[in-house]
């Protein structure tokens, strides 16, 4: 954890009290399956979003406003945690601190369809037309100026290269990259399940019911409903403060004890509804799956001739490769996405449940029930895969990359990682498939440690690519076992 103690949100915002009257809006009778009449009622948060977006875009038409606005920026994956965190903290800056602020959602206006769980959660918070009510990248494209040089980062702690300005604050739950310590007045970086948990701790003791609802949905989906033994930490369990404020809870929803949140009836239902919407991706093809939960990084290669700087993309895909990537589709969609984004490296990180193993465990569980044992029932078999492609980027100003050397270094670094425990994927030999461009390299792994997420992969890749020159890195082209596992994205 890295913080600025004098400006920690948990300390700085304790001065707010219930007496201030924030969140005086009475609870709407909105349940996870909200009625049509409730869905037609705009929330106070929706009004704030519409008004701030309109004012921001008006100022974007004229120069000289760059010091007026603070843009609250979640990461480019556009997941519910980033959306909720950016909306909540922008509201706080505007309505409590009285500083003009607006949340910028880093997706295109038409991309809300990629995340049904986001649309559902926003609807519970009275935000029923997110593509119109929220500021997106589509809204700022082609503007003569960007009316802000001040950024507050949530759910990330590095400002993307396309933005220029000063980072004045950070609330994040990823690994601390140690940046902006001299410019941040708030710097709260804590490893926990959900950034929305940290944001909720930074807000007043009371807040609008719709905002509490939105933050809670993000915490619930990120922690699997506060699953015991899961991602939830003490910071996440302090989400109990949100429950009485939301539009979802009822007096019968007890207990609210932090260690018993997973047993609360409406949290169980909310988690089930959110996870169902998140997992139903049957309408999406490979291109959409890659861009649905995507993050991009810039890394320098000090060990390569010319010390080039490259772009690396990591796409988290909650569907097994065999479902959408067979017969060369993995390579085709991935290369198309890489060219679109100007990437040198793309990592596709899948996460899914092996339904065959799940059924086997369920069947075994039923048998064990007869014997008084039911340990394996319903657990399923969570799996992860990693597919990697390295490609010489195109374009007049694109750096020249030694693709074989970069591939050897990346493969060696990944395979040495005990945190990932990768094993060659037997069903995706990309070299054998012959579907990649001749100058590309690729490899696919089954990830032995299924609990290691992109939060583990991203810093590992940074270390591999930016570290000191590797001592005689093994070549994927000369080691028979590794060659057999070459699986291009």
């Amino acid at each position: 954890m890295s913080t600025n103690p004098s400006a920690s949100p948990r300390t700085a915002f304790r001065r707010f009290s219930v007496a201030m009257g924030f969140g005086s809006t009475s609870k709407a009778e909105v349940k996870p399956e909200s009625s049509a009449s409730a869905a037609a009622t705009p929330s106070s948060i929706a009004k704030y979003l519409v008004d701030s977006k309109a004012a921001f875009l008006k100022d974007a038409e004229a120069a000289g406003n760059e010091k007026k606005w603070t843009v609250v920026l979640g990461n480019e994956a556009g997941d519910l945690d980033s959306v909720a965190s950016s909306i909540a903290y922008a509201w706080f800056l505007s309505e409590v601190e009285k500083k003009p602020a607006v949340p910028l959602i880093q997706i295109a206006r038409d991309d809300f369809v990629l995340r049904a769980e986001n649309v559902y959660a926003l609807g519970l918070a009275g935000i029923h037309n997110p593509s119109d009510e929220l500021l997106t990248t589509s809204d700022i494209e082609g503007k003569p100026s960007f009316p802000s040089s001040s950024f507050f980062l949530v759910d990330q702690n590095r400002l993307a290269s396309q933005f220029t300005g000063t980072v004045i604050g950070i609330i994040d739950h990823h690994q601390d990259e140690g940046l902006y310590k001299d410019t941040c007045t708030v710097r709260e970086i804590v490893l926990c399940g959900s950034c929305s948990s940290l944001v909720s701790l930074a807000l007043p003791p009371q807040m609008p019911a719709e905002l509490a609802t939105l933050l809670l949905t993000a915490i619930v989906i990120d922690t699997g409903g506060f699953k015991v033994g899961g991602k939830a930490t003490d910071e996440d369990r302090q989400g109990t403060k949100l429950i009485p404020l939301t539009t979802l809870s009822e007096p019968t929803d007890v207990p609210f004890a932090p260690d018993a949140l997973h047993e609360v009836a409406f949290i169980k239902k909310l988690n089930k509804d959110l996870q169902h919407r998140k997992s139903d991706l049957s309408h999406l093809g490979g291109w959409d799956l890659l861009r649905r939960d995507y993050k991009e990084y810039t890394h320098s290669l000090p060990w390569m001739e010319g010390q080039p700087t490259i772009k690396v993309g990591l796409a988290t895909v909650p569907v097994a490769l065999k479902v959408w990537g067979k017969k060369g589709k993995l390579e085709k969609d991935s290369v198309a996405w890489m060219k679109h984004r100007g990437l040198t490296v793309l990592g596709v990180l899948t996460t899914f449940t092996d339904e065959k193993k799940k059924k086997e465990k369920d069947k075994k569980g039923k048998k064990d029930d007869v014997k008084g044992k039911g340990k394996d029932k319903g657990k399923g078999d969570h799996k992860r895969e990693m597919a990697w492609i390295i490609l010489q980027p195109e374009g007049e100003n694109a750096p020249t990359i030694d693709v074989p050397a970069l591939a050897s270094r990346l493969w060696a670094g990944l395979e040495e990682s005990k945190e990932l425990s990768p094993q060659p994927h037997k069903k995706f030999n990309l070299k054998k498939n012959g579907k990649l461009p001749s100058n590309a390299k690729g490899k696919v792994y089954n990830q032995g440690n299924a609990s290691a997420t992109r939060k583990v992969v991203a810093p590992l890749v940074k270390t591999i690519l930016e570290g000191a020159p590797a001592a005689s890195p093994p070549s994927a082209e000369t080691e028979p076992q590794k060659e057999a596992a070459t699986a291009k994205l």
Side-chain angles (χ1 to χ4, degrees), residues 175-330:
Q175 185 179 67
D176 188 355
E177 296 193 40
L179 304 173
Y180 320 118
K181 292 181 179 181
D182 56 338
T183 61
C184 287
T185 56
V186 173
R187 196 171 188 280
E188 184 82 353
I189 303 177
V190 182
L191 297 177
C192 62
S194 179
C195 183
S196 292
S197 300
L198 302 177
V199 171
S200 71
L201 295 174
L203 267 55
Q206 284 195 342
M207 66 191 78
E210 299 89 356
L211 196 59
T213 298
L214 184 59
L215 287 168
L216 186 63
T217 60
I219 298 170
V220 166
I221 198 170
D222 280 353
T223 62
F226 301 97
K227 180 181 177 182
V228 176
K231 298 179 182 179
T233 65
D234 288 342
E235 286 80 8
D236 300 302
R237 295 186 188 95
Q238 289 183 58
T240 51
K241 65 170 278 187
L242 296 171
I243 294 176
L245 303 175
T246 70
T247 60
L248 304 176
S249 62
E250 297 178 337
T252 55
D253 286 318
V254 291
F256 286 159
D259 59 351
L261 284 170
H262 62 286
E263 298 177 357
V264 178
F266 90 87
I267 286 181
K268 286 183 177 180
K269 177 170 175 49
L270 180 59
N271 183 50
K272 181 180 179 181
D273 290 342
L274 288 167
Q275 299 294 350
H276 171 71
R277 286 163 172 79
K278 181 178 180 180
S279 62
D280 184 9
L281 304 176
S282 56
H283 59 296
L284 301 181
W287 174 271
D288 286 339
L289 288 171
L290 290 174
R291 67 193 184 97
R292 178 182 176 275
D293 190 354
Y294 172 79
K295 291 185 181 180
E296 201 166 280
Y297 311 83
T298 300
H299 297 302
S300 60
L301 308 180
W303 50 272
M304 185 175 287
E305 184 178 356
Q307 299 185 1
T309 297
I310 65 172
K311 292 171 68 176
V312 175
L314 295 180
T316 298
V317 178
V319 182
L321 291 176
K322 67 179 181 181
V323 175
W324 64 278
K326 294 188 296 184
K327 299 181 179 180
K329 292 181 180 178
L330 172 62

Side-chain angles (χ1 to χ4, degrees), residues 202-460:
L203 267 55
Q206 284 195 342
M207 66 191 78
E210 299 89 356
L211 196 59
T213 298
L214 184 59
L215 287 168
L216 186 63
T217 60
I219 298 170
V220 166
I221 198 170
D222 280 353
T223 62
F226 301 97
K227 180 181 177 182
V228 176
K231 298 179 182 179
T233 65
D234 288 342
E235 286 80 8
D236 300 302
R237 295 186 188 95
Q238 289 183 58
T240 51
K241 65 170 278 187
L242 296 171
I243 294 176
L245 303 175
T246 70
T247 60
L248 304 176
S249 62
E250 297 178 337
T252 55
D253 286 318
V254 291
F256 286 159
D259 59 351
L261 284 170
H262 62 286
E263 298 177 357
V264 178
F266 90 87
I267 286 181
K268 286 183 177 180
K269 177 170 175 49
L270 180 59
N271 183 50
K272 181 180 179 181
D273 290 342
L274 288 167
Q275 299 294 350
H276 171 71
R277 286 163 172 79
K278 181 178 180 180
S279 62
D280 184 9
L281 304 176
S282 56
H283 59 296
L284 301 181
W287 174 271
D288 286 339
L289 288 171
L290 290 174
R291 67 193 184 97
R292 178 182 176 275
D293 190 354
Y294 172 79
K295 291 185 181 180
E296 201 166 280
Y297 311 83
T298 300
H299 297 302
S300 60
L301 308 180
W303 50 272
M304 185 175 287
E305 184 178 356
Q307 299 185 1
T309 297
I310 65 172
K311 292 171 68 176
V312 175
L314 295 180
T316 298
V317 178
V319 182
L321 291 176
K322 67 179 181 181
V323 175
W324 64 278
K326 294 188 296 184
K327 299 181 179 180
K329 292 181 180 178
L330 172 62
E331 297 94 311
K332 178 183 177 182
D333 291 330
S334 296
V335 169
W337 179 250
M338 292 180 75
K339 291 182 177 180
H340 174 68
R341 298 296 306 181
L343 301 179
T344 299
V345 178
L346 175 65
V348 180
L349 316 176
T350 70
T351 172
F352 60 97
T353 296
D354 188 321
E355 293 299 329
K356 182 178 180 181
K357 290 288 182 67
K358 183 178 186 301
K359 290 178 181 178
E360 291 175 356
K361 286 190 175 183
D362 283 346
K363 185 176 180 181
K364 182 178 184 297
K366 289 178 181 178
K367 291 181 178 179
D368 287 343
D369 280 345
V370 178
K371 302 176 183 178
K373 306 174 185 178
K375 213 163 67 169
D376 290 328
K377 188 177 179 181
K379 280 188 176 180
D381 193 2
H382 181 218
K383 293 182 175 293
R384 289 184 185 270
E385 304 161 310
M386 298 188 298
W388 298 89
I389 289 181
I390 300 175
L391 191 66
Q392 169 62 48
E394 300 177 347
E396 184 178 344
N397 298 319
T400 300
I401 303 300
D402 185 337
V403 172
L406 180 55
S408 293
R409 185 183 185 91
L410 182 58
W411 306 162
L414 292 170
E415 289 164 14
E416 289 171 1
S417 171
K418 294 180 180 179
E419 287 182 292
L420 300 181
S421 300
Q423 298 295 326
H425 201 303
K426 297 179 180 179
K427 295 185 179 180
F428 282 87
N429 187 321
L430 300 185
K431 184 177 180 181
K432 182 178 180 181
N433 288 346
K435 300 295 183 180
L436 282 179
S438 59
N439 63 339
K441 298 292 181 182
K443 202 160 190 177
V444 180
Y445 300 95
N446 284 310
Q447 188 174 306
N449 179 11
S451 64
T453 67
R454 183 166 53 196
K455 291 181 187 178
V456 173
V457 176
L460 173 62

